[in-house]
Amino acid sequence: MTQSPTLSRRASSSAPKPQRTPRQLKSKRSGADARAGYTFLLPWLLGFIALTVGPMISSLYLSFTNYNLFEPPKWIGLDNYATLFQDERFLQSVGVTLSYVVFGTPLKLAAALAVAMLLNSKRKGQGFYRSAFYAPSLIGASVSIAIVWKAMFGDSGPVDQGLSFFGINLGGWVGNPSMTMPMMILLTVWQFGAPMVIFLAGLKQIPADLYEAASMDGAGPVRKFINITWPMLSPVIFFNLLMETIHAFQIFASAYIISNGEGGPAGSTLFYTLYLYLRGFSDFRMGYASAMAWLLVIVVGIITLIFFKTSKSWVHYSGDSK
Amino acid sequence: MTIMATPKQSAPMLQAQDYNPKSESVVAKRVKSLIFHLVALGLTAVVLYPALWMVASAFKPNAEIGGANTSLWSNNFSLDNFVTAMDGIGGVSTLQFFTNSLVLAIGAVVGTILSASVSAYAFARIKFPGRSVLFGMMIATLLLPFHVVIIPQYIVFQQLGLVDTYVPLLIGKFLAADAFFVFLLVQFMRNLPAELDEAARIDGAGHVRIFCSIMLPLMKPALISTSIFSFIWSWNDFLGPLLYLNTPEKYPLPLALRLFVDQTQSSDYGAMIAMSVLALLPVLVFFLVFQRYIVEGVSTQGLKG
């Protein structure tokens, strides 16, 4: 389990065909294999059809209807989608989510990479530092931490107090619409440990002699980073960037808790999924919320596609074309 | 005793390296190492501050939590907040919420282990038509925002009369809906030597035998990290219970915590934070016990927090 966790290597290592068995036996076996295969796969297949494919189809259908859970769905065509783009709160939720993704994700990954490079040397205490930095990733999305964040960043809370020591007076974060986004971004950056550990595993894979050769040629740390670390690490950077971006679009629990489930103040924490939840499960506008869900799928799909398309120009897979 | 011996052995080797005329001087190395530890420790302090602040505040009287007090230390540490927090909310004791969380988390672990391991065996070790297409679809669900399925799922469970039961929260676990764990186990199994099951098949073993007596024991490390993460994710889950549960007696801790915040508001910060600590306790204990394992699991399998 030492290879880098890229998604694209999936098809590369299927089990080799048994060559020894006679052809007759083999065909008998492949029939039995097919049966066994589908039997073993049964739980996943059932779940995939009942909990993913089925719901996706019905949510696509619902997105073209008015449905409040109590009367039968009424077909309205593209009305939901058209209304969305005139809905100011929807547009605000798009803005909030995009600024969170655009600023939070790169910052988090930069922190993760910087700390991973700091820790990528043989020194005492590495295990301790890795664990300490990873801990927030396990608890960061919990309700408990959202409450702590709210208390720490509250008006004249410890963060404000700490900053005023340096002569910075921001006048609170939680109640200040222009400061809630930096606060949410700090919360995601704080959880840099998960991508950091993946970066560290990637850094360990880079052969040391590359750096030695570069040193002999007189390359400094910046040249080494640009010419060796970045290209050699690019598959891992790609993986982290893709996963963190998709992840960031789906933030919910902390936004819900910090804003008392309302997205305030002044809609500054009205994240996309929070607005979807409010529309669907508070107002029972299931069709409208379904349209929102499908837009999210489309946007995430397009972003994934763009990532994969552009990755060819900057992601390098060493050796064979995996 | 053998453990004690290792550092002693490595010390002379390090020194020998230090005296290598080509390498940097001993002083330069010491200074570098000192700077590294200063930076790393400083970062650790910043990163761990929120968690430490939470734990320290849980033991402090209300007056010392907010406001001008940024220090972690107090002269008035007491267990009062925990006593209030254990009383629970809305006539339900915190112990009840704990039990609910535990039932859900254990159910999630059992379901995930059972369903993900058999599904992964099919993907990794059996050749059957359509396998690679289905595998691709499984990978695609990893990238799919799950919000697209929650509305129809809710409607179906509502029509089946299963809202306010644990069924909607657990059924997905028994049907390997967390594609991540299937993917993780597939990757792990593909790295086990193919000769193992080939030999067993020549000896006449079927897939059930191979799965139970060869694969399962070898998969232990991957199954342990699956269990840990499935437990912690279920323990921290908020959206699922928020959608499906509406009787406080059935609430797991995160939902109870929200109820607690709603009703207490800012009047009793101490109890709120004490309850937050209680809600995170199993995760923190898990982390302290298995930290090596968890961190290693992430780096090799690309798990998320």
Side-chain angles (χ1 to χ4, degrees):
Chain A
M1 296 303 294
T2 43
Q3 81 278 100
S4 55
T6 29
L7 294 174
S8 52
R9 64 185 321 285
R10 62 184 121 113
S12 63
S13 57
S14 44
K17 267 186 195 163
Q19 304 262 306
R20 278 171 288 181
T21 32
R23 199 167 291 160
Q24 269 187 318
L25 236 165
K26 212 169 149 186
S27 70
K28 219 182 210 173
R29 223 172 85 174
S30 68
D33 272 354
R35 245 170 297 137
Y38 283 103
T39 314
F40 272 87
L41 209 57
L42 204 61
W44 178 81
L45 267 176
L46 275 178
F48 183 63
I49 293 164
L51 299 173
T52 305
V53 178
M56 276 182 78
I57 295 168
S58 51
S59 116
L60 185 62
Y61 164 73
L62 283 175
S63 76
F64 299 115
T65 66
N66 248 340
Y67 183 50
N68 63 5
L69 212 57
F70 309 110
E71 298 151 40
K74 205 172 87 198
W75 184 269
I76 52 166
L78 284 169
D79 275 12
N80 282 329
Y81 291 92
T83 318
L84 273 173
F85 288 97
Q86 288 150 21
D87 178 348
E88 270 175 36
R89 294 193 76 203
F90 167 79
L91 294 174
Q92 186 171 23
S93 78
V94 170
V96 166
T97 308
L98 279 181
S99 55
Y100 178 74
V101 172
V102 168
F103 294 106
T105 307
L107 271 175
K108 181 181 191 172
L109 290 178
L113 183 56
V115 178
M117 286 175 64
L118 179 75
L119 291 191
N120 186 38
S121 54
K122 283 199 187 89
R123 284 208 166 84
K124 272 184 196 164
Q126 296 290 31
F128 165 75
Y129 293 129
R130 279 200 311 175
S131 294
F133 294 147
Y134 181 72
S137 299
L138 267 189
I139 56 176
S142 66
V143 170
S144 299
I145 289 301
I147 289 171
V148 166
W149 225 252
K150 202 175 168 181
M152 283 186 61
F153 286 86
D155 301 343
S156 71
V159 174
D160 249 11
Q161 293 300 324
L163 286 175
S164 69
F165 179 78
F166 298 102
I168 304 167
N169 287 304
L170 295 168
W173 299 58
V174 176
N176 183 349
S178 58
M179 289 312 288
T180 47
M181 184 51 67
M183 174 183 73
M184 295 306 288
I185 288 173
L186 276 176
L187 179 55
T188 189
V189 173
W190 183 59
Q191 300 165 52
F192 69 85
M196 175 207 74
V197 170
I198 298 170
F199 276 139
L200 255 175
L203 286 171
K204 291 233 163 70
Q205 304 276 309
I206 303 177
D209 42 337
L210 285 180
Y211 290 107
E212 276 161 30
S215 292
M216 300 254 246
D217 294 343
V222 177
R223 297 266 336 234
K224 280 186 199 165
F225 179 78
I226 294 171
N227 290 332
I228 301 172
T229 312
W230 186 268
M232 292 296 283
L233 205 61
S234 57
V236 183
I237 296 171
F238 176 70
F239 172 83
N240 272 339
L241 183 63
L242 181 66
M243 294 316 270
E244 291 296 335
T245 305
I246 293 174
H247 204 64
F249 270 104
Q250 301 178 46
I251 175 189
F252 179 78
S254 29
Y256 185 101
I257 295 297
I258 286 175
S259 72
N260 291 328
E262 286 154 12
S268 61
T269 56
L270 187 67
F271 283 87
Y272 198 93
T273 54
L274 182 55
Y275 188 52
L276 191 157
Y277 169 83
L278 291 175
R279 278 305 195 199
F281 297 95
S282 297
D283 311 343
F284 296 108
R285 291 183 61 180
M286 296 289 187
Y288 198 74
S290 296
M292 276 191 75
W294 264 95
L295 273 183
L296 184 63
V297 169
I298 292 165
V299 168
V300 167
I302 290 173
I303 287 174
T304 308
L305 209 70
I306 292 174
F307 275 4
F308 272 100
K309 288 276 178 216
T310 57
S311 73
K312 280 178 193 132
S313 64
W314 66 276
V315 176
H316 306 277
Y317 292 98
S318 57
D320 53 354
S321 51
K322 276 172 191 174
Chain B
M1 268 310 174
T2 40
I3 301 166
M4 290 291 286
T6 9
K8 273 183 193 159
Q9 278 175 342
S10 59
M13 273 170 57
L14 270 176
Q15 270 188 348
Q17 254 180 12
D18 284 347
Y19 288 122
N20 187 336
K22 268 189 186 170
S23 73
E24 305 157 89
S25 72
V26 184
V27 178
K29 272 208 165 163
R30 289 251 165 90
V31 169
K32 259 193 168 175
S33 168
L34 188 71
I35 292 172
F36 164 80
H37 281 290
L38 281 179
V39 173
L41 277 174
L43 262 173
T44 310
V46 173
V47 167
L48 290 188
Y49 181 77
L52 294 174
W53 184 86
M54 168 171 75
V55 175
S57 299
F59 292 96
K60 287 181 188 172
N62 263 322
E64 288 183 34
I65 295 175
N69 205 323
T70 48
S71 132
L72 296 174
W73 185 253
S74 160
N75 290 320
N76 304 306
F77 280 138
S78 84
L79 286 171
D80 291 355
N81 293 328
F82 286 97
V83 174
T84 317
M86 283 309 287
D87 284 347
I89 188 102
V92 188
S93 76
T94 297
L95 212 60
Q96 177 69 47
F97 299 133
F98 244 97
T99 316
N100 296 340
S101 276
L102 208 59
V103 168
L104 281 170
I106 290 174
V109 171
V110 172
T112 305
I113 291 289
L114 288 176
S115 63
S117 62
V118 289
S119 312
Y121 178 77
F123 279 132
R125 295 304 228 196
I126 309 177
K127 288 216 116 183
F128 56 90
R131 180 178 73 165
S132 47
V133 175
L134 289 173
F135 190 73
M137 288 177 165
M138 198 264 298
I139 295 296
T141 60
L142 278 179
L143 306 173
L144 187 79
F146 68 97
H147 298 90
V148 73
V149 295
I150 57 174
I151 288 166
Q153 278 182 9
Y154 181 84
I155 294 169
V156 169
F157 287 123
Q158 201 249 0
Q159 281 166 353
L160 292 173
L162 291 171
V163 167
D164 209 27
T165 71
Y166 288 170
V167 175
L169 300 173
L170 286 176
I171 194 158
K173 317 287 179 188
F174 284 86
L175 297 177
D178 250 326
F180 206 92
F181 294 124
V182 181
F183 175 65
L184 185 154
L185 293 174
V186 167
Q187 291 290 81
F188 188 85
M189 260 192 263
R190 277 182 175 168
N191 283 295
L192 299 174
E195 291 81 26
L196 285 174
D197 29 340
E198 272 311 311
R201 294 185 87 168
I202 288 165
D203 290 347
H207 283 296
V208 177
R209 270 290 296 280
I210 295 174
F211 174 72
C212 294
S213 28
I214 299 176
M215 288 300 152
L216 274 185
L218 289 173
M219 270 157 60
K220 222 160 101 190
L223 290 178
I224 292 174
S225 49
T226 302
S227 309
I228 294 173
F229 278 97
S230 150
F231 186 95
I232 291 176
W233 290 352
S234 162
W235 190 272
N236 282 340
D237 184 26
F238 177 64
L239 181 57
L242 178 68
L243 288 179
Y244 287 111
L245 301 178
N246 37 44
T247 331
E249 282 80 12
K250 294 174 185 165
Y251 280 5
L253 277 163
L255 216 51
L257 206 50
R258 192 208 62 150
L259 194 68
F260 201 69
V261 174
D262 278 359
Q263 297 193 7
T264 335
Q265 276 307 338
S266 52
S267 55
D268 196 352
Y269 253 127
M272 218 149 76
I273 290 171
M275 199 161 166
S276 302
V277 172
L278 288 177
L280 274 185
L281 206 58
V283 179
L284 294 173
V285 169
F286 254 97
F287 184 69
L288 289 177
V289 176
F290 294 111
Q291 41 150 324
R292 255 263 138 78
Y293 210 92
I294 290 173
V295 173
E296 220 105 287
V298 179
S299 60
T300 50
Q301 288 134 5
L303 272 168
K304 324 223 352 97

